[in-house]
mmCIF file of all heavy atoms in Angstrom:
data_model
loop_
_atom_site.group_PDB
_atom_site.id
_atom_site.type_symbol
_atom_site.label_atom_id
_atom_site.label_comp_id
_atom_site.label_asym_id
_atom_site.label_seq_id
_atom_site.Cartn_x
_atom_site.Cartn_y
_atom_site.Cartn_z
ATOM 1 N N VAL A 37 121.026 231.902 87.864
ATOM 2 C CA VAL A 37 121.113 230.432 87.803
ATOM 3 C C VAL A 37 120.232 229.799 88.863
ATOM 4 O O VAL A 37 120.365 230.062 90.044
ATOM 5 C CB VAL A 37 122.561 229.967 87.989
ATOM 6 C CG1 VAL A 37 122.676 228.443 87.949
ATOM 7 C CG2 VAL A 37 123.550 230.629 86.955
ATOM 8 N N MET A 38 119.262 229.007 88.401
ATOM 9 C CA MET A 38 118.303 228.356 89.363
ATOM 10 C C MET A 38 118.307 226.847 89.111
ATOM 11 O O MET A 38 118.375 226.407 87.955
ATOM 12 C CB MET A 38 116.869 228.856 89.093
ATOM 13 C CG MET A 38 116.723 230.359 89.219
ATOM 14 S SD MET A 38 115.005 230.842 89.029
ATOM 15 C CE MET A 38 115.154 232.630 89.004
ATOM 16 N N ASP A 39 118.291 226.102 90.224
ATOM 17 C CA ASP A 39 118.507 224.649 90.074
ATOM 18 C C ASP A 39 117.313 223.825 90.321
ATOM 19 O O ASP A 39 117.310 222.583 90.422
ATOM 20 C CB ASP A 39 119.640 224.224 91.031
ATOM 21 C CG ASP A 39 119.279 224.385 92.510
ATOM 22 O OD1 ASP A 39 118.206 224.977 92.807
ATOM 23 O OD2 ASP A 39 120.059 223.951 93.350
ATOM 24 N N GLY A 40 116.104 224.438 90.585
ATOM 25 C CA GLY A 40 114.907 223.636 90.819
ATOM 26 C C GLY A 40 114.960 222.939 92.241
ATOM 27 O O GLY A 40 114.174 222.051 92.476
ATOM 28 N N HIS A 41 115.925 223.336 93.041
ATOM 29 C CA HIS A 41 116.038 222.681 94.346
ATOM 30 C C HIS A 41 116.134 223.770 95.449
ATOM 31 O O HIS A 41 115.325 223.803 96.295
ATOM 32 C CB HIS A 41 117.333 221.816 94.359
ATOM 33 C CG HIS A 41 117.528 221.041 95.592
ATOM 34 N ND1 HIS A 41 118.376 221.452 96.565
ATOM 35 C CD2 HIS A 41 116.978 219.910 96.049
ATOM 36 C CE1 HIS A 41 118.346 220.568 97.591
ATOM 37 N NE2 HIS A 41 117.479 219.579 97.287
ATOM 38 N N PHE A 42 117.169 224.637 95.306
ATOM 39 C CA PHE A 42 117.203 225.792 96.238
ATOM 40 C C PHE A 42 115.998 226.751 96.021
ATOM 41 O O PHE A 42 115.501 227.315 96.944
ATOM 42 C CB PHE A 42 118.560 226.549 96.110
ATOM 43 C CG PHE A 42 118.679 227.735 96.944
ATOM 44 C CD1 PHE A 42 118.707 227.642 98.338
ATOM 45 C CD2 PHE A 42 118.698 229.003 96.438
ATOM 46 C CE1 PHE A 42 118.774 228.782 99.177
ATOM 47 C CE2 PHE A 42 118.811 230.176 97.248
ATOM 48 C CZ PHE A 42 118.801 229.993 98.598
ATOM 49 N N VAL A 43 115.665 226.871 94.748
ATOM 50 C CA VAL A 43 114.449 227.604 94.371
ATOM 51 C C VAL A 43 113.631 226.702 93.494
ATOM 52 O O VAL A 43 114.207 225.819 92.862
ATOM 53 C CB VAL A 43 114.767 228.956 93.575
ATOM 54 C CG1 VAL A 43 115.411 229.982 94.510
ATOM 55 C CG2 VAL A 43 115.686 228.670 92.362
ATOM 56 N N PRO A 44 112.303 226.934 93.401
ATOM 57 C CA PRO A 44 111.510 225.975 92.581
ATOM 58 C C PRO A 44 111.749 226.003 91.119
ATOM 59 O O PRO A 44 111.448 224.943 90.430
ATOM 60 C CB PRO A 44 110.026 226.420 92.947
ATOM 61 C CG PRO A 44 110.129 227.727 93.643
ATOM 62 C CD PRO A 44 111.555 227.878 94.111
ATOM 63 N N ASN A 45 112.277 227.036 90.618
ATOM 64 C CA ASN A 45 112.374 227.179 89.166
ATOM 65 C C ASN A 45 113.722 226.723 88.647
ATOM 66 O O ASN A 45 114.682 226.571 89.391
ATOM 67 C CB ASN A 45 112.168 228.663 88.838
ATOM 68 C CG ASN A 45 111.678 228.912 87.387
ATOM 69 O OD1 ASN A 45 111.554 227.955 86.666
ATOM 70 N ND2 ASN A 45 111.465 230.163 87.067
ATOM 71 N N LEU A 46 113.840 226.471 87.344
ATOM 72 C CA LEU A 46 115.060 226.112 86.697
ATOM 73 C C LEU A 46 115.414 227.084 85.569
ATOM 74 O O LEU A 46 114.577 227.532 84.843
ATOM 75 C CB LEU A 46 114.783 224.756 85.946
ATOM 76 C CG LEU A 46 115.139 223.407 86.607
ATOM 77 C CD1 LEU A 46 114.693 222.346 85.629
ATOM 78 C CD2 LEU A 46 116.604 223.300 86.851
ATOM 79 N N THR A 47 116.683 227.398 85.441
ATOM 80 C CA THR A 47 117.036 228.307 84.319
ATOM 81 C C THR A 47 118.118 227.675 83.462
ATOM 82 O O THR A 47 117.864 226.829 82.575
ATOM 83 C CB THR A 47 117.457 229.671 84.776
ATOM 84 O OG1 THR A 47 118.515 229.578 85.715
ATOM 85 C CG2 THR A 47 116.284 230.460 85.339
ATOM 86 N N PHE A 48 119.392 228.029 83.754
ATOM 87 C CA PHE A 48 120.469 227.504 82.899
ATOM 88 C C PHE A 48 121.699 227.327 83.752
ATOM 89 O O PHE A 48 121.818 227.736 84.909
ATOM 90 C CB PHE A 48 120.796 228.498 81.748
ATOM 91 C CG PHE A 48 120.855 229.941 82.196
ATOM 92 C CD1 PHE A 48 122.001 230.429 82.797
ATOM 93 C CD2 PHE A 48 119.791 230.819 82.042
ATOM 94 C CE1 PHE A 48 122.136 231.774 83.206
ATOM 95 C CE2 PHE A 48 119.874 232.133 82.481
ATOM 96 C CZ PHE A 48 121.058 232.620 83.047
ATOM 97 N N GLY A 49 122.723 226.689 83.132
ATOM 98 C CA GLY A 49 123.991 226.409 83.865
ATOM 99 C C GLY A 49 125.168 227.028 83.149
ATOM 100 O O GLY A 49 125.052 227.937 82.268
ATOM 101 N N PRO A 50 126.395 226.495 83.438
ATOM 102 C CA PRO A 50 127.640 227.134 82.908
ATOM 103 C C PRO A 50 127.758 227.093 81.381
ATOM 104 O O PRO A 50 128.344 227.985 80.803
ATOM 105 C CB PRO A 50 128.712 226.290 83.577
ATOM 106 C CG PRO A 50 128.069 225.179 84.321
ATOM 107 C CD PRO A 50 126.656 225.455 84.467
#
Side-chain angles (χ1 to χ4, degrees):
V37 177
M38 303 184 187
D39 66 353
H41 185 260
F42 177 65
V43 289
N45 204 358
L46 265 177
T47 54
F48 48 79

